[in-house]
Short mmCIF file of all heavy atoms in Angstrom, two decimals:
data_model
loop_
_atom_site.label_atom_id
_atom_site.label_comp_id
_atom_site.label_asym_id
_atom_site.label_seq_id
_atom_site.Cartn_x
_atom_site.Cartn_y
_atom_site.Cartn_z
N ASP Z 1325 -0.90 -6.47 88.25
CA ASP Z 1325 -1.54 -6.12 86.98
C ASP Z 1325 -0.73 -6.65 85.81
O ASP Z 1325 -1.01 -6.32 84.65
CB ASP Z 1325 -1.73 -4.60 86.87
CG ASP Z 1325 -0.42 -3.82 87.02
OD1 ASP Z 1325 0.65 -4.45 87.01
OD2 ASP Z 1325 -0.49 -2.59 87.16
N GLY Z 1326 0.31 -7.45 86.12
CA GLY Z 1326 1.12 -8.05 85.07
C GLY Z 1326 2.11 -7.11 84.42
O GLY Z 1326 2.77 -7.46 83.44
N ARG Z 1327 2.26 -5.92 85.01
CA ARG Z 1327 3.16 -4.91 84.43
C ARG Z 1327 4.28 -4.65 85.42
O ARG Z 1327 4.18 -3.79 86.28
CB ARG Z 1327 2.38 -3.64 84.12
CG ARG Z 1327 1.25 -3.84 83.12
CD ARG Z 1327 0.40 -2.59 82.99
NE ARG Z 1327 1.22 -1.46 82.57
CZ ARG Z 1327 1.11 -0.23 83.08
NH1 ARG Z 1327 0.23 0.01 84.05
NH2 ARG Z 1327 1.89 0.74 82.64
N ASP Z 1328 5.36 -5.40 85.29
CA ASP Z 1328 6.46 -5.31 86.25
C ASP Z 1328 7.36 -4.10 86.01
O ASP Z 1328 7.97 -3.59 86.94
CB ASP Z 1328 7.31 -6.59 86.21
CG ASP Z 1328 6.53 -7.81 86.66
OD1 ASP Z 1328 5.47 -7.62 87.30
OD2 ASP Z 1328 6.97 -8.93 86.37
N GLU Z 1329 7.46 -3.65 84.76
CA GLU Z 1329 8.39 -2.58 84.41
C GLU Z 1329 7.68 -1.23 84.33
O GLU Z 1329 7.74 -0.54 83.31
CB GLU Z 1329 9.09 -2.90 83.08
CG GLU Z 1329 9.84 -4.22 83.08
CD GLU Z 1329 10.94 -4.25 84.13
OE1 GLU Z 1329 11.58 -3.21 84.36
OE2 GLU Z 1329 11.15 -5.32 84.74
N LYS Z 1330 7.02 -0.83 85.38
CA LYS Z 1330 6.30 0.44 85.39
C LYS Z 1330 7.20 1.56 85.88
O LYS Z 1330 8.03 1.36 86.76
CB LYS Z 1330 5.06 0.32 86.29
CG LYS Z 1330 4.02 -0.64 85.76
CD LYS Z 1330 3.07 -1.13 86.82
CE LYS Z 1330 2.10 -0.09 87.27
NZ LYS Z 1330 1.09 -0.67 88.20
N ARG Z 1331 6.97 2.74 85.33
CA ARG Z 1331 7.68 3.92 85.80
C ARG Z 1331 7.08 4.38 87.12
O ARG Z 1331 5.95 4.04 87.48
CB ARG Z 1331 7.60 5.04 84.76
CG ARG Z 1331 8.29 4.71 83.44
CD ARG Z 1331 8.02 5.79 82.40
NE ARG Z 1331 8.48 7.09 82.86
CZ ARG Z 1331 9.72 7.55 82.66
NH1 ARG Z 1331 10.61 6.79 82.03
NH2 ARG Z 1331 10.08 8.75 83.09
N PHE Z 1332 7.83 5.21 87.83
CA PHE Z 1332 7.38 5.72 89.12
C PHE Z 1332 6.01 6.39 89.02
O PHE Z 1332 5.10 6.11 89.80
CB PHE Z 1332 8.42 6.71 89.67
CG PHE Z 1332 8.00 7.41 90.93
CD1 PHE Z 1332 8.10 6.79 92.17
CD2 PHE Z 1332 7.49 8.71 90.89
CE1 PHE Z 1332 7.71 7.43 93.33
CE2 PHE Z 1332 7.10 9.36 92.04
CZ PHE Z 1332 7.21 8.72 93.27
N ASP Z 1333 5.84 7.29 88.05
CA ASP Z 1333 4.58 8.01 87.92
C ASP Z 1333 3.42 7.07 87.63
O ASP Z 1333 2.29 7.30 88.08
CB ASP Z 1333 4.67 9.07 86.82
CG ASP Z 1333 5.52 10.27 87.23
OD1 ASP Z 1333 5.81 10.40 88.44
OD2 ASP Z 1333 5.89 11.07 86.35
N ASP Z 1334 3.69 6.03 86.88
CA ASP Z 1334 2.64 5.06 86.55
C ASP Z 1334 2.24 4.27 87.79
O ASP Z 1334 1.05 3.97 88.00
CB ASP Z 1334 3.13 4.11 85.46
CG ASP Z 1334 1.99 3.33 84.80
OD1 ASP Z 1334 0.82 3.63 85.08
OD2 ASP Z 1334 2.29 2.41 84.02
N ARG Z 1335 3.22 3.94 88.64
CA ARG Z 1335 2.87 3.24 89.88
C ARG Z 1335 2.05 4.15 90.80
O ARG Z 1335 1.14 3.68 91.49
CB ARG Z 1335 4.13 2.78 90.60
CG ARG Z 1335 4.88 1.66 89.89
CD ARG Z 1335 6.03 1.11 90.73
NE ARG Z 1335 6.98 0.37 89.93
CZ ARG Z 1335 6.86 -0.91 89.61
NH1 ARG Z 1335 5.81 -1.59 90.03
NH2 ARG Z 1335 7.78 -1.51 88.87
N LEU Z 1336 2.35 5.44 90.81
CA LEU Z 1336 1.57 6.37 91.62
C LEU Z 1336 0.11 6.42 91.17
O LEU Z 1336 -0.81 6.43 92.00
CB LEU Z 1336 2.16 7.78 91.54
CG LEU Z 1336 3.31 8.16 92.46
CD1 LEU Z 1336 3.71 9.59 92.21
CD2 LEU Z 1336 2.95 7.96 93.93
N LYS Z 1337 -0.10 6.43 89.87
CA LYS Z 1337 -1.45 6.63 89.34
C LYS Z 1337 -2.19 5.33 89.10
O LYS Z 1337 -3.43 5.32 89.08
CB LYS Z 1337 -1.36 7.42 88.03
CG LYS Z 1337 -0.80 8.83 88.21
CD LYS Z 1337 -0.58 9.53 86.88
CE LYS Z 1337 0.04 10.90 87.09
NZ LYS Z 1337 0.34 11.58 85.81
N ASN Z 1338 -1.46 4.23 88.92
CA ASN Z 1338 -2.09 2.96 88.58
C ASN Z 1338 -1.43 1.81 89.34
O ASN Z 1338 -0.98 0.83 88.75
CB ASN Z 1338 -1.98 2.71 87.06
CG ASN Z 1338 -2.61 3.81 86.24
OD1 ASN Z 1338 -3.83 3.96 86.22
ND2 ASN Z 1338 -1.79 4.60 85.57
N ALA Z 1339 -1.39 1.93 90.65
CA ALA Z 1339 -0.70 0.93 91.47
C ALA Z 1339 -1.49 -0.36 91.56
O ALA Z 1339 -2.72 -0.35 91.74
CB ALA Z 1339 -0.46 1.48 92.86
N SER Z 1340 -0.80 -1.47 91.44
CA SER Z 1340 -1.38 -2.77 91.79
C SER Z 1340 -1.22 -2.96 93.30
O SER Z 1340 -0.56 -2.18 93.98
CB SER Z 1340 -0.65 -3.89 91.04
OG SER Z 1340 0.69 -4.01 91.53
N ILE Z 1341 -1.79 -4.03 93.81
CA ILE Z 1341 -1.62 -4.33 95.24
C ILE Z 1341 -0.16 -4.65 95.53
O ILE Z 1341 0.38 -4.23 96.56
CB ILE Z 1341 -2.56 -5.49 95.66
CG1 ILE Z 1341 -4.01 -5.00 95.61
CG2 ILE Z 1341 -2.19 -6.00 97.06
CD1 ILE Z 1341 -5.04 -6.07 95.85
N ARG Z 1342 0.52 -5.35 94.62
CA ARG Z 1342 1.95 -5.59 94.82
C ARG Z 1342 2.73 -4.28 94.81
O ARG Z 1342 3.66 -4.11 95.58
CB ARG Z 1342 2.49 -6.54 93.75
CG ARG Z 1342 2.26 -8.00 94.04
CD ARG Z 1342 3.28 -8.87 93.32
NE ARG Z 1342 2.97 -10.28 93.41
CZ ARG Z 1342 3.30 -11.05 94.43
NH1 ARG Z 1342 3.92 -10.54 95.47
NH2 ARG Z 1342 2.98 -12.33 94.44
N ASP Z 1343 2.36 -3.37 93.92
CA ASP Z 1343 3.05 -2.08 93.86
C ASP Z 1343 2.99 -1.35 95.19
O ASP Z 1343 3.97 -0.75 95.63
CB ASP Z 1343 2.43 -1.18 92.78
CG ASP Z 1343 2.75 -1.61 91.37
OD1 ASP Z 1343 3.76 -2.32 91.17
OD2 ASP Z 1343 1.99 -1.23 90.45
N GLN Z 1344 1.84 -1.40 95.85
CA GLN Z 1344 1.70 -0.61 97.07
C GLN Z 1344 2.52 -1.17 98.22
O GLN Z 1344 2.74 -0.47 99.22
CB GLN Z 1344 0.23 -0.45 97.46
CG GLN Z 1344 -0.44 -1.65 98.05
CD GLN Z 1344 -1.92 -1.35 98.35
OE1 GLN Z 1344 -2.57 -0.54 97.69
NE2 GLN Z 1344 -2.47 -2.01 99.35
N LEU Z 1345 3.03 -2.39 98.06
CA LEU Z 1345 3.90 -2.99 99.07
C LEU Z 1345 5.36 -2.96 98.67
O LEU Z 1345 6.23 -3.45 99.41
CB LEU Z 1345 3.47 -4.45 99.31
CG LEU Z 1345 2.03 -4.67 99.73
CD1 LEU Z 1345 1.70 -6.16 99.71
CD2 LEU Z 1345 1.76 -4.08 101.10
N LEU Z 1346 5.66 -2.38 97.50
CA LEU Z 1346 6.98 -2.51 96.91
C LEU Z 1346 8.08 -1.79 97.67
O LEU Z 1346 9.16 -2.33 97.90
CB LEU Z 1346 6.93 -1.99 95.47
CG LEU Z 1346 8.19 -2.15 94.62
CD1 LEU Z 1346 8.54 -3.61 94.45
CD2 LEU Z 1346 7.98 -1.48 93.26
N LEU Z 1347 7.83 -0.55 98.09
CA LEU Z 1347 8.87 0.26 98.73
C LEU Z 1347 8.84 0.06 100.24
O LEU Z 1347 7.80 0.29 100.87
CB LEU Z 1347 8.69 1.74 98.40
CG LEU Z 1347 8.79 2.11 96.92
CD1 LEU Z 1347 8.53 3.60 96.72
CD2 LEU Z 1347 10.15 1.73 96.36
N PRO Z 1348 9.93 -0.36 100.85
CA PRO Z 1348 9.93 -0.60 102.30
C PRO Z 1348 9.87 0.68 103.10
O PRO Z 1348 10.55 1.67 102.77
CB PRO Z 1348 11.25 -1.35 102.53
CG PRO Z 1348 12.13 -0.91 101.41
CD PRO Z 1348 11.22 -0.71 100.23
N TYR Z 1349 9.07 0.68 104.13
CA TYR Z 1349 8.98 1.80 105.06
C TYR Z 1349 9.82 1.46 106.29
O TYR Z 1349 9.66 0.38 106.88
CB TYR Z 1349 7.52 2.02 105.48
CG TYR Z 1349 7.32 3.20 106.41
CD1 TYR Z 1349 7.03 4.46 105.90
CD2 TYR Z 1349 7.43 3.05 107.79
CE1 TYR Z 1349 6.85 5.55 106.74
CE2 TYR Z 1349 7.26 4.13 108.64
CZ TYR Z 1349 6.97 5.38 108.12
OH TYR Z 1349 6.80 6.46 108.96
N ARG Z 1350 10.70 2.36 106.68
CA ARG Z 1350 11.59 2.12 107.81
C ARG Z 1350 11.18 2.99 108.98
O ARG Z 1350 11.13 4.22 108.86
CB ARG Z 1350 13.05 2.37 107.41
CG ARG Z 1350 13.54 1.39 106.35
CD ARG Z 1350 14.89 1.77 105.78
NE ARG Z 1350 15.37 0.75 104.85
CZ ARG Z 1350 15.04 0.67 103.57
NH1 ARG Z 1350 14.22 1.57 103.06
NH2 ARG Z 1350 15.52 -0.29 102.81
N THR Z 1351 10.89 2.36 110.10
CA THR Z 1351 10.48 3.10 111.28
C THR Z 1351 11.69 3.73 111.97
O THR Z 1351 12.84 3.36 111.72
CB THR Z 1351 9.75 2.18 112.27
OG1 THR Z 1351 10.62 1.09 112.61
CG2 THR Z 1351 8.47 1.63 111.67
N GLY Z 1352 11.41 4.68 112.87
CA GLY Z 1352 12.48 5.31 113.63
C GLY Z 1352 13.03 6.54 112.94
O GLY Z 1352 12.52 7.02 111.93
N ARG Z 1353 14.10 7.07 113.51
CA ARG Z 1353 14.70 8.32 113.02
C ARG Z 1353 15.39 8.11 111.67
O ARG Z 1353 16.12 7.16 111.47
CB ARG Z 1353 15.71 8.83 114.05
CG ARG Z 1353 16.28 10.21 113.73
CD ARG Z 1353 17.27 10.64 114.79
NE ARG Z 1353 16.64 10.82 116.09
CZ ARG Z 1353 16.02 11.94 116.47
NH1 ARG Z 1353 15.96 12.98 115.66
NH2 ARG Z 1353 15.48 12.01 117.68
N LEU Z 1354 15.15 9.05 110.76
CA LEU Z 1354 15.85 9.03 109.48
C LEU Z 1354 17.31 9.39 109.67
O LEU Z 1354 17.64 10.32 110.41
CB LEU Z 1354 15.21 10.03 108.51
CG LEU Z 1354 13.84 9.70 107.92
CD1 LEU Z 1354 13.35 10.89 107.11
CD2 LEU Z 1354 13.91 8.47 107.05
N GLU Z 1355 18.17 8.67 109.00
CA GLU Z 1355 19.60 8.98 109.02
C GLU Z 1355 19.97 10.02 107.97
O GLU Z 1355 20.97 10.71 108.10
CB GLU Z 1355 20.42 7.70 108.80
CG GLU Z 1355 20.24 6.65 109.87
CD GLU Z 1355 20.86 7.04 111.19
OE1 GLU Z 1355 21.67 7.99 111.20
OE2 GLU Z 1355 20.55 6.41 112.21
N ARG Z 1356 19.15 10.10 106.92
CA ARG Z 1356 19.40 11.03 105.82
C ARG Z 1356 18.08 11.25 105.10
O ARG Z 1356 17.13 10.47 105.28
CB ARG Z 1356 20.45 10.46 104.85
CG ARG Z 1356 20.07 9.12 104.26
CD ARG Z 1356 21.21 8.49 103.47
NE ARG Z 1356 22.35 8.23 104.34
CZ ARG Z 1356 22.48 7.15 105.10
NH1 ARG Z 1356 21.50 6.23 105.13
NH2 ARG Z 1356 23.53 6.98 105.85
N PRO Z 1357 17.97 12.28 104.26
CA PRO Z 1357 16.73 12.49 103.52
C PRO Z 1357 16.41 11.30 102.61
O PRO Z 1357 17.32 10.60 102.16
CB PRO Z 1357 17.03 13.74 102.69
CG PRO Z 1357 18.14 14.44 103.39
CD PRO Z 1357 18.97 13.35 104.00
N PRO Z 1358 15.15 11.07 102.33
CA PRO Z 1358 14.79 9.96 101.43
C PRO Z 1358 15.43 10.13 100.06
O PRO Z 1358 15.57 11.24 99.55
CB PRO Z 1358 13.26 10.06 101.35
CG PRO Z 1358 12.86 10.78 102.59
CD PRO Z 1358 13.96 11.75 102.87
N ALA Z 1359 15.82 9.01 99.45
CA ALA Z 1359 16.38 9.02 98.10
C ALA Z 1359 15.30 9.38 97.09
O ALA Z 1359 14.10 9.34 97.39
CB ALA Z 1359 16.98 7.66 97.78
N ARG Z 1360 15.74 9.73 95.91
CA ARG Z 1360 14.80 10.13 94.85
C ARG Z 1360 13.70 9.07 94.66
O ARG Z 1360 13.97 7.88 94.53
CB ARG Z 1360 15.56 10.32 93.53
CG ARG Z 1360 14.68 10.79 92.37
CD ARG Z 1360 15.46 10.84 91.09
NE ARG Z 1360 16.50 11.86 91.15
CZ ARG Z 1360 16.31 13.14 90.84
NH1 ARG Z 1360 15.12 13.56 90.44
NH2 ARG Z 1360 17.30 14.00 90.93
N ASP Z 1361 12.45 9.55 94.69
CA ASP Z 1361 11.27 8.72 94.46
C ASP Z 1361 11.08 7.60 95.48
O ASP Z 1361 10.34 6.65 95.23
CB ASP Z 1361 11.27 8.14 93.04
CG ASP Z 1361 11.13 9.21 91.97
OD1 ASP Z 1361 10.73 10.34 92.32
OD2 ASP Z 1361 11.41 8.93 90.80
N ASP Z 1362 11.73 7.72 96.63
CA ASP Z 1362 11.51 6.75 97.71
C ASP Z 1362 10.33 7.25 98.54
O ASP Z 1362 10.48 8.02 99.47
CB ASP Z 1362 12.78 6.63 98.57
CG ASP Z 1362 12.67 5.52 99.60
OD1 ASP Z 1362 11.70 4.72 99.51
OD2 ASP Z 1362 13.53 5.44 100.49
N ASP Z 1363 9.14 6.81 98.14
CA ASP Z 1363 7.89 7.27 98.75
C ASP Z 1363 7.09 6.09 99.30
O ASP Z 1363 6.01 5.77 98.81
CB ASP Z 1363 7.02 8.01 97.72
CG ASP Z 1363 7.57 9.36 97.29
OD1 ASP Z 1363 8.63 9.76 97.80
OD2 ASP Z 1363 6.95 10.00 96.43
N PRO Z 1364 7.58 5.38 100.30
CA PRO Z 1364 6.88 4.18 100.77
C PRO Z 1364 5.49 4.49 101.32
O PRO Z 1364 5.33 5.24 102.27
CB PRO Z 1364 7.81 3.65 101.88
CG PRO Z 1364 8.60 4.84 102.33
CD PRO Z 1364 8.78 5.68 101.11
N GLY Z 1365 4.49 3.91 100.68
CA GLY Z 1365 3.12 4.16 101.08
C GLY Z 1365 2.34 4.99 100.09
O GLY Z 1365 1.11 5.00 100.11
N ARG Z 1366 3.01 5.70 99.21
CA ARG Z 1366 2.29 6.55 98.25
C ARG Z 1366 1.73 5.77 97.06
O ARG Z 1366 0.84 6.25 96.38
CB ARG Z 1366 3.19 7.67 97.72
CG ARG Z 1366 3.47 8.76 98.74
CD ARG Z 1366 4.09 9.99 98.08
NE ARG Z 1366 3.09 10.74 97.35
CZ ARG Z 1366 3.32 11.37 96.19
NH1 ARG Z 1366 4.50 11.29 95.62
NH2 ARG Z 1366 2.36 12.05 95.61
N PHE Z 1367 2.24 4.55 96.81
CA PHE Z 1367 1.61 3.69 95.81
C PHE Z 1367 0.39 3.07 96.48
O PHE Z 1367 0.51 2.29 97.43
CB PHE Z 1367 2.56 2.57 95.36
CG PHE Z 1367 3.84 3.04 94.71
CD1 PHE Z 1367 4.94 2.21 94.68
CD2 PHE Z 1367 3.94 4.30 94.13
CE1 PHE Z 1367 6.12 2.61 94.07
CE2 PHE Z 1367 5.11 4.72 93.53
CZ PHE Z 1367 6.22 3.87 93.51
N ARG Z 1368 -0.80 3.41 95.99
CA ARG Z 1368 -2.04 2.91 96.60
C ARG Z 1368 -2.95 2.36 95.51
O ARG Z 1368 -3.28 3.07 94.57
CB ARG Z 1368 -2.76 4.01 97.38
CG ARG Z 1368 -1.91 4.72 98.42
CD ARG Z 1368 -2.72 5.80 99.14
NE ARG Z 1368 -1.89 6.64 99.98
CZ ARG Z 1368 -1.40 7.83 99.62
NH1 ARG Z 1368 -1.68 8.32 98.41
NH2 ARG Z 1368 -0.65 8.54 100.44
N ASN Z 1369 -3.38 1.13 95.68
CA ASN Z 1369 -4.34 0.54 94.76
C ASN Z 1369 -5.73 1.03 95.15
O ASN Z 1369 -6.26 0.67 96.20
CB ASN Z 1369 -4.26 -0.99 94.82
CG ASN Z 1369 -5.25 -1.64 93.89
OD1 ASN Z 1369 -6.35 -2.01 94.29
ND2 ASN Z 1369 -4.87 -1.79 92.63
N GLU Z 1370 -6.31 1.88 94.32
CA GLU Z 1370 -7.57 2.53 94.68
C GLU Z 1370 -8.71 1.53 94.87
O GLU Z 1370 -9.55 1.69 95.78
CB GLU Z 1370 -7.94 3.58 93.63
CG GLU Z 1370 -9.04 4.51 94.09
CD GLU Z 1370 -9.18 5.71 93.18
OE1 GLU Z 1370 -9.68 5.55 92.04
OE2 GLU Z 1370 -8.80 6.82 93.59
N THR Z 1371 -8.73 0.49 94.07
CA THR Z 1371 -9.78 -0.53 94.21
C THR Z 1371 -9.73 -1.17 95.59
O THR Z 1371 -10.77 -1.40 96.23
CB THR Z 1371 -9.64 -1.60 93.12
OG1 THR Z 1371 -9.74 -0.97 91.83
CG2 THR Z 1371 -10.72 -2.66 93.25
N PHE Z 1372 -8.52 -1.44 96.07
CA PHE Z 1372 -8.33 -2.05 97.39
C PHE Z 1372 -8.88 -1.14 98.49
O PHE Z 1372 -9.64 -1.58 99.36
CB PHE Z 1372 -6.84 -2.30 97.60
CG PHE Z 1372 -6.47 -2.81 98.97
CD1 PHE Z 1372 -6.51 -4.16 99.26
CD2 PHE Z 1372 -6.08 -1.93 99.98
CE1 PHE Z 1372 -6.16 -4.64 100.52
CE2 PHE Z 1372 -5.74 -2.40 101.24
CZ PHE Z 1372 -5.78 -3.75 101.51
#
């Protein structure tokens, strides 16, 4: 969407297709709790 400097909440509510691929999802057992705002998969482009 041409907006590279979006805040976390904005990506949640107005994700581009690139946004929804931005955070890597790691398979297997977690070594520690997720870091702040590390929500891989929660950015979803509704149009897609």
Side-chain angles (χ1 to χ4, degrees):
D1325 57 11
R1327 300 172 58 222
D1328 295 343
E1329 302 300 324
K1330 293 160 73 173
R1331 296 172 59 88
F1332 174 80
D1333 287 346
D1334 195 9
R1335 291 187 198 275
L1336 275 181
K1337 296 173 183 177
N1338 302 290
S1340 68
I1341 291 173
R1342 278 204 189 276
D1343 287 338
Q1344 74 182 29
L1345 303 171
L1346 186 62
L1347 298 178
Y1349 182 92
R1350 295 171 176 83
T1351 57
R1353 187 180 296 275
L1354 288 174
E1355 297 290 345
R1356 58 188 62 84
R1360 182 185 294 273
D1361 294 345
D1362 187 10
D1363 290 359
R1366 288 193 75 216
F1367 299 158
R1368 306 180 190 97
N1369 179 264
E1370 193 167 73
T1371 301
F1372 175 86

